[in-house]
Amino acid sequence: RVFARDLKSPQRGLLRQQRLEWQRQRALVQARMNALLDRVPQAEIPPPAPLPATMTLQAEERLAQRALVHPELERLQADEQAAQARERLAEKERYPKFAVSAGYDNMWPDPAMPPMAGVSFTVPLDQGKYRDEIDAAHAQTRRAASLLEDQRIQVLAHVAADYASVQEAAQSLLLYRDELVPLARATLEVART
């Protein structure tokens, strides 16, 4: 009997200490929750509402299609189109240029000022300079295309990861609602009895 009393005494003390810590933690959580609900710290916390019904998500492919209209992707597509236009312009710069002009010649003292018409053309002789500009424009087009593709892959990867996270959360919700919460309630009833 003396031995049983000695054993119970330290255990009871530890249990009382643990109970005091739990009461403090409960009061702390209650005060924080009431602060979030804009209520006095000592107000009772209502029981939790039932878990929401699960909803079905759109298919991952459909979400990916919607993600492809992301503003950043649209900006990169516009950059790629601008680079392609600069490349076409650089290719056209190496062709001869023609110009037509018309006007009055006012160099002569005659007040009648005879009309003038003219045609001119420029032949680009330094083709190496134009090839360098074309190569640079082509490199810019390839760079813009690879940036667009890289960003598209990143967006699709984020969609896939987020979709997997939401699916996991939905399955966890079902697990809690259908198995863990009823099990906890049954355990609580057994403990109460």
Side-chain angles (χ1 to χ4, degrees), residues 117-138:
V119 176
S120 67
F121 64 94
T122 306
V123 178
L125 298 176
D126 185 15
Q127 290 293 316
K129 175 181 114 176
Y130 296 109
R131 271 189 242 108
D132 292 343
E133 289 177 6
I134 292 170
D135 290 343
H138 184 66

Side-chain angles (χ1 to χ4, degrees), residues 17-146:
Q17 178 62 35
Q18 196 175 45
R19 186 168 133 201
L20 290 173
E21 289 174 11
W22 284 345
Q23 286 174 343
R24 180 187 57 82
Q25 286 178 352
R26 183 173 183 229
L28 179 66
V29 169
Q30 180 179 1
R32 286 182 180 166
M33 288 177 71
N34 281 324
L36 291 173
L37 295 171
D38 199 23
R39 299 186 319 189
V40 295
Q42 295 81 15
E44 281 297 314
I45 303 294
L51 294 174
T54 58
M55 60 181 204
T56 57
L57 291 175
Q58 297 176 355
E60 186 175 3
E61 295 83 25
R62 205 159 160 208
L63 289 172
Q65 288 299 321
R66 286 192 179 176
L68 290 179
V69 294
H70 191 276
E72 182 66 18
L73 291 178
E74 290 178 351
R75 183 188 68 78
L76 289 172
Q77 284 174 336
D79 288 349
E80 181 185 25
Q81 290 170 355
Q84 289 170 349
R86 283 191 296 271
E87 184 178 2
R88 285 192 301 272
L89 184 62
E91 288 174 1
K92 290 179 182 178
E93 284 293 317
R94 67 185 190 138
Y95 297 126
K97 295 172 189 61
F98 294 93
V100 178
S101 61
Y104 289 102
D105 185 5
N106 58 3
M107 287 181 25
W108 303 103
D110 185 14
M113 291 203 298
M116 288 181 50
V119 176
S120 67
F121 64 94
T122 306
V123 178
L125 298 176
D126 185 15
Q127 290 293 316
K129 175 181 114 176
Y130 296 109
R131 271 189 242 108
D132 292 343
E133 289 177 6
I134 292 170
D135 290 343
H138 184 66
Q140 286 294 327
T141 301
R142 286 195 330 242
R143 180 182 179 276
S146 64

